[in-house]
């Protein structure tokens, strides 16, 4: 994503987030009147020491409204969390784009990154890297891709079986838990601060929309064969076809 395009989209999202926050406050203020009515109705019932059909019907209506108000506020908050998550994602994409362009924000010094040439010697012959698709040829069934961490920006031609598309959307654990990868599922995940994928296990799936996965990377220097848990964003995980190592 171009830096200008990312900045423009982030500005739009911040405006939308501001509106959602205002809507949340408006929804909360509107629902307070109904909550006060519930409290007053209970006080009258205690004073009269009886539950008449009138009060029973009235409370049923008030609680139904309160439930609807709470769900409406919850939906707005979920949308706000999704906006925040998208902003964080764009900021990360912007950082990567700035890295490619050789640009850095003065307030955010360059992060120390292990070079791919070093990492490739640590993981056998099967190498998976983060790349950007430039084009696809239907005649040859091959992609042209750019390694985002390659200084010379050399272009590579790969067959379809050598390209794994990354997820475009985040799964919301609160509304679509079945779309998440499960604990101890074998994955290919980008190791933090690098652009290389390694085999790893899901340690803890996201519990909230803004959460990352907690991941255990394969590491023979540990007795269990896996590293301590690390945080990896949803967009940087894909399912591995290899069986889990014993």
């Amino acid at each position: 994503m171009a830096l200008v395009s990312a900045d423009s989209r982030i500005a739009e999202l911040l405006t939308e987030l501001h509106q959602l926050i205002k809507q949340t406050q408006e929804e909360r203020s509107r629902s307070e009147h109904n909550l006060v009515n519930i409290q007053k109705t209970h006080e009258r019932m205690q004073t009269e020491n009886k539950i008449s059909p009138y009060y029973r019907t009235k409370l049923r209506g008030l609680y139904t409204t309160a439930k609807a108000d709470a769900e409406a506020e919850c939906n707005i908050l979920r949308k706000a969390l999704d906006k925040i998550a998208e902003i964080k994602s764009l900021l990360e994409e912007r950082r990567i784009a700035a890295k490619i362009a050789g640009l850095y924000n003065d307030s955010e010094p360059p992060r120390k990154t292990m070079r791919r040439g070093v990492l490739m010697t640590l993981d056998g012959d099967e190498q998976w890297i983060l790349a950007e698709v430039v084009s696809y040829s239907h005649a040859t069934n091959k992609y042209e891709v750019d390694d985002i961490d390659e200084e010379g920006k050399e272009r590579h031609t790969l067959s379809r079986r050598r390209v794994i598309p990354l997820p475009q959307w985040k799964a919301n654990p609160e509304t679509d838990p079945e779309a998440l990868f499960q604990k101890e599922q074998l994955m290919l995940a980008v190791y933090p601060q690098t652009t290389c994928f390694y085999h790893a296990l899901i340690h803890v799936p996201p519990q909230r929309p803004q959460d990352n996965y907690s991941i255990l990377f394969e590491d023979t220097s540990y007795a269990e064969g896996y590293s301590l848990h690390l945080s990896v964003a949803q967009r940087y995980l894909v399912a591995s076809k290899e069986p889990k190592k014993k």
Side-chain angles (χ1 to χ4, degrees), residues 26 45 67 70 79-80 107 115 124 126 140 149 157 166 168 173-174 180 189 200 204 228:
E26 291 169 358
M45 288 169 54
K67 181 175 180 292
K79 290 179 182 178
S107 63
R115 297 298 302 156
E126 187 75 2
T140 62
D149 197 34
T157 302
L166 295 178
Q168 292 186 337
E174 297 173 353
L180 293 168
V204 179
L228 300 177

Coordinates of all heavy atoms in Angstrom, one line a residue, residues 26 45 67 70 79-80 107 115 124 126 140 149 157 166 168 173-174 180 189 200 204 228:
E26 N -24.0 8.8 22.9 CA -25.4 9.2 22.7 C -26.3 8.0 23.0 O -27.3 8.2 23.6 CB -25.6 9.6 21.2 CG -24.9 10.9 20.8 CD -24.9 11.1 19.3 OE1 -25.4 10.2 18.6 OE2 -24.4 12.2 18.9
M45 N -42.7 -0.8 43.6 CA -43.2 -2.1 43.9 C -42.8 -2.5 45.4 O -43.6 -3.1 46.1 CB -42.5 -3.2 43.0 CG -43.1 -3.1 41.6 SD -42.1 -4.1 40.4 CE -42.1 -5.7 41.3
K67 N -32.3 -4.4 27.2 CA -31.5 -5.4 26.5 C -31.2 -4.9 25.1 O -30.1 -5.0 24.6 CB -32.3 -6.7 26.4 CG -31.6 -7.8 25.7 CD -32.4 -9.1 25.9 CE -31.6 -10.3 25.2 NZ -31.6 -10.1 23.7
A70 N -28.6 -2.2 25.2 CA -27.2 -2.7 25.5 C -26.6 -3.4 24.2 O -25.4 -3.2 24.0 CB -27.3 -3.7 26.6
K79 N -17.8 -2.2 16.4 CA -17.4 -1.5 15.2 C -16.2 -0.6 15.4 O -15.2 -0.5 14.6 CB -18.5 -0.7 14.6 CG -19.7 -1.5 14.0 CD -20.8 -0.6 13.5 CE -22.0 -1.4 13.0 NZ -23.1 -0.5 12.5
A80 N -16.2 0.0 16.6 CA -15.1 0.9 17.0 C -13.8 0.1 17.2 O -12.7 0.5 16.7 CB -15.4 1.6 18.3
S107 N 10.2 9.9 14.7 CA 9.7 9.5 16.1 C 9.8 8.0 16.3 O 9.6 7.5 17.4 CB 8.3 10.0 16.3 OG 7.4 9.4 15.4
R115 N 18.3 -10.3 8.7 CA 18.2 -10.4 7.2 C 17.7 -11.8 6.8 O 18.0 -12.8 7.4 CB 19.6 -10.2 6.6 CG 20.1 -8.8 6.9 CD 19.2 -7.7 6.3 NE 19.1 -7.9 4.9 CZ 18.1 -7.5 4.1 NH1 17.1 -6.9 4.7 NH2 18.1 -7.7 2.8
G124 N 16.3 -25.3 7.0 CA 16.3 -26.3 6.0 C 16.1 -25.7 4.6 O 16.4 -24.6 4.3
E126 N 13.0 -25.7 2.9 CA 11.7 -25.2 2.6 C 11.6 -23.8 3.2 O 11.6 -23.6 4.4 CB 10.6 -26.1 3.3 CG 9.2 -25.7 3.0 CD 8.8 -26.1 1.6 OE1 9.6 -26.7 0.8 OE2 7.6 -25.8 1.2
T140 N 0.9 -19.3 -18.1 CA 1.9 -20.2 -17.5 C 1.5 -20.6 -16.1 O 2.2 -21.5 -15.5 CB 3.2 -19.4 -17.4 OG1 3.0 -18.2 -16.6 CG2 3.7 -19.0 -18.8
D149 N 11.5 -7.7 1.6 CA 12.7 -7.4 2.5 C 14.0 -7.5 1.6 O 15.1 -7.6 2.2 CB 12.8 -8.4 3.6 CG 13.7 -7.9 4.7 OD1 13.8 -6.7 4.9 OD2 14.4 -8.8 5.3
T157 N 9.7 -15.4 -10.1 CA 8.6 -16.0 -10.8 C 8.4 -17.4 -10.1 O 9.3 -18.2 -10.0 CB 9.0 -16.3 -12.3 OG1 9.2 -15.0 -12.9 CG2 7.8 -16.9 -13.0
L166 N -2.3 -14.7 1.9 CA -2.5 -14.3 3.3 C -4.0 -13.9 3.5 O -4.6 -13.4 2.6 CB -1.6 -13.2 3.8 CG -0.1 -13.6 3.8 CD1 0.7 -12.3 4.2 CD2 0.2 -14.7 4.7
Q168 N -7.2 -11.8 4.1 CA -7.5 -10.4 3.9 C -8.3 -9.7 5.0 O -8.3 -8.5 5.2 CB -8.3 -10.2 2.6 CG -7.5 -10.5 1.3 CD -8.3 -10.3 0.1 OE1 -9.5 -10.2 0.1 NE2 -7.6 -10.1 -1.0
P173 N -13.4 -13.0 17.3 CA -13.6 -14.1 18.2 C -15.0 -14.1 18.8 O -15.5 -15.1 19.2 CB -12.5 -14.0 19.2 CG -11.5 -13.1 18.6 CD -12.2 -12.2 17.7
E174 N -15.6 -12.9 18.9 CA -16.9 -12.7 19.6 C -18.0 -13.1 18.7 O -19.1 -13.5 19.2 CB -17.0 -11.3 20.1 CG -15.9 -10.9 21.2 CD -16.0 -9.4 21.5 OE1 -16.7 -8.7 20.9 OE2 -15.3 -9.0 22.5
L180 N -11.5 -18.9 13.6 CA -10.1 -18.8 14.1 C -9.4 -20.2 14.1 O -10.0 -21.2 14.1 CB -10.2 -18.3 15.6 CG -10.7 -16.9 15.8 CD1 -11.0 -16.7 17.2 CD2 -9.7 -15.9 15.3
A189 N 3.9 -19.1 10.4 CA 3.7 -17.8 10.9 C 5.0 -16.9 10.7 O 6.1 -17.5 10.8 CB 3.4 -17.9 12.4
A200 N 5.1 -23.3 13.5 CA 4.7 -22.9 14.9 C 3.4 -23.5 15.3 O 2.6 -24.0 14.4 CB 4.6 -21.3 15.0
V204 N -2.4 -19.6 22.2 CA -3.7 -19.1 22.6 C -4.3 -18.3 21.4 O -3.6 -17.4 21.0 CB -3.5 -18.2 23.8 CG1 -4.9 -17.7 24.2 CG2 -2.9 -18.9 25.0
L228 N 9.4 -19.9 23.7 CA 8.4 -19.3 24.5 C 7.4 -18.6 23.6 O 7.7 -18.3 22.4 CB 9.1 -18.2 25.4 CG 10.1 -18.8 26.4 CD1 10.8 -17.7 27.1 CD2 9.5 -19.8 27.3

